[in-house]
Amino acid sequence: MNKELLGLIFIPAGILSMCMAALWQMYVMMSETYTLNRYKDKALAWRVAALFLSFSLAVYWLCPNARKKGVVFLVLGAGGAAMFGLARLWLPFAG
């Protein structure tokens, strides 16, 4: 397979992978933030502040069940971005 053909495959595959990563991220955020309800008021205030500053990273840090799910987001997001970047590099009309 030459680079141009691989680039034509990588563009839609990379975009699809990044879209799947975004959907996975929304699922994790909606399904894991309920665990923050167990903290008392003062402790919850610090966690809420952390969520506003860096929502995704804070959820993966503060919600123990979400840590394993973060690997899926990392693989889909980074893999999609890498495929899209390589396709833009390899295709003559994309640069």
Side-chain angles (χ1 to χ4, degrees):
M1 237 186 221
N2 59 8
K3 288 182 181 179
E4 287 81 16
L5 182 58
L6 201 56
L8 288 174
I9 295 170
F10 273 12
I11 282 184
I15 292 171
L16 183 63
S17 179
M18 288 186 286
C19 289
M20 289 172 48
L23 287 173
W24 180 257
Q25 185 72 356
M26 289 189 331
Y27 164 73
V28 170
M29 294 304 113
M30 298 304 280
S31 66
E32 294 298 330
T33 53
Y34 75 92
T35 61
L36 295 175
N37 292 337
R38 67 175 183 230
Y39 296 109
K40 296 191 184 338
D41 292 334
K42 187 173 182 178
L44 182 60
W46 287 105
R47 283 157 178 83
V48 168
L51 288 172
F52 277 109
L53 294 174
S54 162
F55 192 72
S56 298
L57 293 176
V59 168
Y60 288 129
W61 182 262
L62 299 173
C63 302
N65 294 335
R67 292 181 190 146
K68 293 176 187 170
K69 296 176 184 176
V71 174
V72 175
F73 174 72
L74 181 66
V75 168
L76 286 173
M83 282 191 284
F84 188 76
L86 285 174
R88 295 209 22 117
L89 181 70
W90 289 340
L91 292 175
F93 57 85

